[in-house]
Short mmCIF file of all heavy atoms in Angstrom, two decimals:
data_model
loop_
_atom_site.label_atom_id
_atom_site.label_comp_id
_atom_site.label_asym_id
_atom_site.label_seq_id
_atom_site.Cartn_x
_atom_site.Cartn_y
_atom_site.Cartn_z
N GLN A 21 -124.70 -213.84 -335.66
CA GLN A 21 -125.58 -213.69 -336.80
C GLN A 21 -127.01 -213.99 -336.34
O GLN A 21 -127.26 -214.98 -335.64
CB GLN A 21 -125.17 -214.67 -337.90
CG GLN A 21 -126.04 -214.60 -339.12
CD GLN A 21 -125.60 -215.60 -340.17
OE1 GLN A 21 -125.10 -216.67 -339.85
NE2 GLN A 21 -125.79 -215.26 -341.42
N LEU A 22 -127.92 -213.14 -336.73
CA LEU A 22 -129.33 -213.33 -336.42
C LEU A 22 -130.07 -213.36 -337.75
O LEU A 22 -130.28 -212.33 -338.39
CB LEU A 22 -129.86 -212.20 -335.52
CG LEU A 22 -131.30 -212.29 -335.09
CD1 LEU A 22 -131.56 -213.59 -334.31
CD2 LEU A 22 -131.66 -211.09 -334.23
N LYS A 23 -130.42 -214.55 -338.20
CA LYS A 23 -131.09 -214.71 -339.48
C LYS A 23 -132.56 -214.33 -339.35
O LYS A 23 -133.16 -214.45 -338.29
CB LYS A 23 -130.97 -216.15 -339.97
CG LYS A 23 -129.55 -216.54 -340.30
CD LYS A 23 -129.50 -217.95 -340.85
CE LYS A 23 -128.07 -218.30 -341.21
NZ LYS A 23 -127.98 -219.60 -341.87
N ALA A 24 -133.12 -213.87 -340.46
CA ALA A 24 -134.53 -213.47 -340.48
C ALA A 24 -135.44 -214.62 -340.07
O ALA A 24 -136.42 -214.42 -339.34
CB ALA A 24 -134.91 -212.95 -341.86
N ALA A 25 -135.13 -215.83 -340.50
CA ALA A 25 -135.96 -216.99 -340.16
C ALA A 25 -135.96 -217.24 -338.65
O ALA A 25 -136.99 -217.58 -338.06
CB ALA A 25 -135.49 -218.23 -340.91
N THR A 26 -134.80 -217.06 -338.03
CA THR A 26 -134.70 -217.24 -336.58
C THR A 26 -135.51 -216.18 -335.86
O THR A 26 -136.25 -216.47 -334.91
CB THR A 26 -133.23 -217.18 -336.14
OG1 THR A 26 -132.50 -218.17 -336.85
CG2 THR A 26 -133.10 -217.41 -334.64
N LEU A 27 -135.39 -214.94 -336.33
CA LEU A 27 -136.15 -213.85 -335.72
C LEU A 27 -137.65 -214.08 -335.87
O LEU A 27 -138.42 -213.86 -334.94
CB LEU A 27 -135.73 -212.53 -336.36
CG LEU A 27 -136.12 -211.26 -335.64
CD1 LEU A 27 -135.62 -211.25 -334.19
CD2 LEU A 27 -135.60 -210.06 -336.39
N HIS A 28 -138.06 -214.58 -337.02
CA HIS A 28 -139.48 -214.88 -337.24
C HIS A 28 -139.95 -216.00 -336.31
O HIS A 28 -141.06 -215.95 -335.77
CB HIS A 28 -139.73 -215.27 -338.70
CG HIS A 28 -141.15 -215.49 -339.01
ND1 HIS A 28 -142.09 -214.48 -339.06
CD2 HIS A 28 -141.84 -216.62 -339.28
CE1 HIS A 28 -143.27 -214.98 -339.33
NE2 HIS A 28 -143.15 -216.29 -339.48
N HIS A 29 -139.11 -216.99 -336.10
CA HIS A 29 -139.44 -218.09 -335.18
C HIS A 29 -139.66 -217.55 -333.76
O HIS A 29 -140.62 -217.94 -333.08
CB HIS A 29 -138.32 -219.13 -335.21
CG HIS A 29 -138.57 -220.32 -334.36
ND1 HIS A 29 -139.38 -221.36 -334.75
CD2 HIS A 29 -138.13 -220.63 -333.12
CE1 HIS A 29 -139.43 -222.27 -333.79
NE2 HIS A 29 -138.68 -221.85 -332.80
N VAL A 30 -138.77 -216.67 -333.33
CA VAL A 30 -138.93 -216.06 -332.01
C VAL A 30 -140.24 -215.28 -331.95
O VAL A 30 -140.99 -215.36 -330.96
CB VAL A 30 -137.72 -215.14 -331.68
CG1 VAL A 30 -137.96 -214.36 -330.38
CG2 VAL A 30 -136.45 -215.96 -331.57
N PHE A 31 -140.55 -214.54 -333.01
CA PHE A 31 -141.80 -213.77 -333.07
C PHE A 31 -143.01 -214.69 -332.91
O PHE A 31 -143.95 -214.37 -332.19
CB PHE A 31 -141.87 -213.02 -334.40
CG PHE A 31 -143.20 -212.41 -334.69
CD1 PHE A 31 -143.63 -211.30 -333.98
CD2 PHE A 31 -144.02 -212.94 -335.67
CE1 PHE A 31 -144.88 -210.73 -334.24
CE2 PHE A 31 -145.26 -212.38 -335.94
CZ PHE A 31 -145.69 -211.26 -335.22
N GLN A 32 -142.98 -215.85 -333.58
CA GLN A 32 -144.12 -216.76 -333.55
C GLN A 32 -144.31 -217.43 -332.18
O GLN A 32 -145.43 -217.58 -331.72
CB GLN A 32 -143.96 -217.85 -334.60
CG GLN A 32 -144.17 -217.37 -336.01
CD GLN A 32 -143.99 -218.49 -337.01
OE1 GLN A 32 -143.02 -219.24 -336.95
NE2 GLN A 32 -144.94 -218.61 -337.93
N PHE A 33 -143.21 -217.84 -331.56
CA PHE A 33 -143.33 -218.66 -330.36
C PHE A 33 -143.07 -217.92 -329.04
O PHE A 33 -143.51 -218.37 -327.99
CB PHE A 33 -142.40 -219.88 -330.48
CG PHE A 33 -142.82 -220.81 -331.58
CD1 PHE A 33 -142.20 -220.75 -332.82
CD2 PHE A 33 -143.86 -221.70 -331.40
CE1 PHE A 33 -142.59 -221.59 -333.86
CE2 PHE A 33 -144.26 -222.55 -332.42
CZ PHE A 33 -143.63 -222.49 -333.66
N TRP A 34 -142.34 -216.82 -329.10
CA TRP A 34 -142.03 -216.05 -327.90
C TRP A 34 -142.17 -214.55 -328.17
O TRP A 34 -141.17 -213.81 -328.21
CB TRP A 34 -140.60 -216.36 -327.42
CG TRP A 34 -140.37 -217.80 -327.12
CD1 TRP A 34 -140.84 -218.50 -326.05
CD2 TRP A 34 -139.62 -218.72 -327.91
NE1 TRP A 34 -140.42 -219.82 -326.15
CE2 TRP A 34 -139.67 -219.97 -327.27
CE3 TRP A 34 -138.91 -218.62 -329.11
CZ2 TRP A 34 -139.05 -221.09 -327.78
CZ3 TRP A 34 -138.29 -219.73 -329.63
CH2 TRP A 34 -138.37 -220.95 -328.97
N PRO A 35 -143.41 -214.09 -328.36
CA PRO A 35 -143.62 -212.69 -328.75
C PRO A 35 -143.06 -211.65 -327.75
O PRO A 35 -142.59 -210.60 -328.16
CB PRO A 35 -145.13 -212.56 -328.90
CG PRO A 35 -145.70 -213.76 -328.24
CD PRO A 35 -144.65 -214.82 -328.23
N GLU A 36 -143.08 -211.97 -326.47
CA GLU A 36 -142.54 -211.02 -325.49
C GLU A 36 -141.02 -210.88 -325.65
O GLU A 36 -140.48 -209.77 -325.60
CB GLU A 36 -142.89 -211.44 -324.08
CG GLU A 36 -144.37 -211.24 -323.76
CD GLU A 36 -144.71 -211.58 -322.32
OE1 GLU A 36 -143.83 -211.53 -321.46
OE2 GLU A 36 -145.89 -211.91 -322.08
N GLN A 37 -140.33 -212.00 -325.85
CA GLN A 37 -138.88 -211.94 -326.05
C GLN A 37 -138.55 -211.27 -327.37
O GLN A 37 -137.56 -210.53 -327.47
CB GLN A 37 -138.27 -213.35 -325.99
CG GLN A 37 -138.19 -213.93 -324.60
CD GLN A 37 -139.54 -214.42 -324.07
OE1 GLN A 37 -140.53 -214.47 -324.79
NE2 GLN A 37 -139.58 -214.75 -322.80
N PHE A 38 -139.38 -211.50 -328.38
CA PHE A 38 -139.20 -210.83 -329.67
C PHE A 38 -139.25 -209.32 -329.48
O PHE A 38 -138.41 -208.58 -330.02
CB PHE A 38 -140.28 -211.29 -330.66
CG PHE A 38 -140.27 -210.54 -331.96
CD1 PHE A 38 -139.37 -210.87 -332.95
CD2 PHE A 38 -141.16 -209.50 -332.18
CE1 PHE A 38 -139.37 -210.19 -334.16
CE2 PHE A 38 -141.16 -208.82 -333.38
CZ PHE A 38 -140.26 -209.16 -334.37
N SER A 39 -140.22 -208.86 -328.72
CA SER A 39 -140.36 -207.41 -328.46
C SER A 39 -139.11 -206.86 -327.79
O SER A 39 -138.64 -205.77 -328.13
CB SER A 39 -141.58 -207.13 -327.59
OG SER A 39 -142.75 -207.50 -328.26
N ILE A 40 -138.55 -207.59 -326.85
CA ILE A 40 -137.34 -207.16 -326.15
C ILE A 40 -136.17 -207.06 -327.12
O ILE A 40 -135.43 -206.07 -327.12
CB ILE A 40 -137.02 -208.10 -324.98
CG1 ILE A 40 -138.09 -207.97 -323.89
CG2 ILE A 40 -135.63 -207.81 -324.41
CD1 ILE A 40 -138.04 -209.05 -322.83
N VAL A 41 -136.03 -208.06 -327.98
CA VAL A 41 -134.93 -208.05 -328.96
C VAL A 41 -135.08 -206.85 -329.90
O VAL A 41 -134.12 -206.09 -330.13
CB VAL A 41 -134.90 -209.37 -329.78
CG1 VAL A 41 -133.96 -209.26 -330.96
CG2 VAL A 41 -134.51 -210.53 -328.89
N ILE A 42 -136.28 -206.64 -330.43
CA ILE A 42 -136.51 -205.54 -331.36
C ILE A 42 -136.28 -204.20 -330.68
O ILE A 42 -135.66 -203.29 -331.26
CB ILE A 42 -137.93 -205.62 -331.97
CG1 ILE A 42 -138.06 -206.88 -332.83
CG2 ILE A 42 -138.27 -204.36 -332.76
CD1 ILE A 42 -137.10 -206.95 -334.00
N LEU A 43 -136.75 -204.03 -329.46
CA LEU A 43 -136.53 -202.77 -328.74
C LEU A 43 -135.04 -202.52 -328.51
O LEU A 43 -134.57 -201.39 -328.65
CB LEU A 43 -137.28 -202.77 -327.41
CG LEU A 43 -138.77 -202.51 -327.49
CD1 LEU A 43 -139.43 -202.72 -326.12
CD2 LEU A 43 -139.04 -201.11 -328.00
N ASN A 44 -134.30 -203.55 -328.16
CA ASN A 44 -132.86 -203.38 -327.94
C ASN A 44 -132.13 -203.05 -329.24
O ASN A 44 -131.22 -202.21 -329.24
CB ASN A 44 -132.26 -204.62 -327.28
CG ASN A 44 -132.56 -204.67 -325.81
OD1 ASN A 44 -132.50 -203.66 -325.13
ND2 ASN A 44 -132.91 -205.83 -325.31
N ILE A 45 -132.53 -203.66 -330.33
CA ILE A 45 -131.93 -203.32 -331.62
C ILE A 45 -132.25 -201.86 -331.96
O ILE A 45 -131.37 -201.10 -332.38
CB ILE A 45 -132.43 -204.28 -332.73
CG1 ILE A 45 -131.85 -205.68 -332.51
CG2 ILE A 45 -132.05 -203.74 -334.12
CD1 ILE A 45 -132.44 -206.74 -333.42
#
Side-chain angles (χ1 to χ4, degrees):
Q21 180 181 32
L22 182 59
K23 294 183 178 186
T26 303
L27 196 55
H28 184 70
H29 183 80
V30 173
F31 169 72
Q32 287 180 313
F33 294 99
W34 302 287
E36 288 183 25
Q37 286 76 8
F38 173 81
S39 296
I40 292 168
V41 169
I42 295 300
L43 283 172
N44 282 318
I45 290 171

